[in-house]
Amino acid sequence: MRILCLGDSYTIGEAVAADETWPMQLAKSLEQALVRQVEVQIIAKTGWSTDELSAAIDHAEAAHEIHPPYELVSLAIGVNNQYRDRSVENYAVEFTALLQRAIGYTAETQASRVLVLSIPDWGQTPFAASDARGPEKIAAQIDLFNAESARLAAAVGAQFIDVTRLSRCGDPELVTHDGLHPSAKAYAQWAQTVFTLAKNALL
């Protein structure tokens, strides 16, 4: 079984070991539950926004590095759009294009096999203490971006998964040593949240 994961630092797992990222923890759970080998391909990089992810996918396609169909495709992108104060309207346009590409990579172009993850609230991290916008404004902006991606996912039948609430529980162990990115413990929670929807989409 093959999974394609598209995104940014939250998908690549900045500051955690490769096997501690949520895609790899999800793959392990799926292997155990379905008794199938799971291969994960990741196209993600810390700092990418929607346009940069799209350009990277273009490059991967040109290099024949993407080989559909995939049983599942995940899409987790937008935090860097928000961080750079880009508009929600621009995000919606670029996210829609990425969502359509993700659907096209699935087996039989099944939108239900696309897993859209929400943007976690980095405003709750130690890193955000130096950001002039403050945690309340950051949270409000993230909520707007997430509302848009949830709406767009629902419109095409993709699955929207809320991991933002997990980032707002106030547990310091959910942030890794860099003071910004999720820890292995946080990604374990993400993987658990994704697991049921992912498994059901495969059945």
Side-chain angles (χ1 to χ4, degrees), residues 13 15 35 42 45 50 55 63 71 73 84-85 91 93 96 98 111 116 120 124 126 132 135 178 184:
V35 195
I42 294 176
K45 188 174 181 179
T50 44
E71 277 79 6
V73 179
R84 298 171 191 167
D85 286 322
Y91 171 71
V93 172
T96 297
L98 287 167
V116 175
Q124 304 296 314
D178 69 0

Side-chain angles (χ1 to χ4, degrees), residues 37-52:
Q37 184 177 356
V38 178
E39 176 185 314
V40 178
Q41 180 179 355
I42 294 176
I43 300 177
K45 188 174 181 179
T46 298
W48 276 356
S49 53
T50 44
D51 57 323
E52 291 164 324

Side-chain angles (χ1 to χ4, degrees), residues 105-186:
Y105 293 144
T106 64
E108 300 178 6
T109 60
Q110 298 179 63
S112 62
R113 293 193 175 205
V114 174
L115 311 172
V116 175
L117 274 68
S118 68
I119 301 169
D121 190 351
W122 63 271
Q124 304 296 314
T125 67
F127 174 87
S130 61
D131 194 290
R133 287 169 288 192
E136 291 185 359
K137 184 174 182 180
I138 292 170
Q141 290 176 337
I142 287 172
D143 286 345
L144 289 175
F145 277 76
N146 283 334
E148 193 64 11
S149 58
R151 181 185 69 82
L152 293 168
V156 296
Q159 307 213 45
F160 182 80
I161 302 167
D162 178 15
V163 297
T164 311
R165 60 182 175 80
L166 301 173
S167 66
R168 288 173 170 165
C169 71
D171 183 354
E173 292 185 358
L174 297 183
V175 181
T176 193
H177 60 81
D178 69 0
L180 172 60
H181 292 96
S183 64
K185 178 180 177 179

Side-chain angles (χ1 to χ4, degrees), residues 3 8 23 27 32 51-52 54 56 63 66 73 75 78 83 90 107 119 125 134 165 169 184 192 199:
I3 300 175
D8 49 36
Q32 293 173 344
D51 57 323
E52 291 164 324
S54 182
I66 296 179
V73 179
L75 180 60
Y83 181 75
N90 172 258
I119 301 169
T125 67
R165 60 182 175 80
C169 71
Q192 184 178 16
K199 185 180 71 171

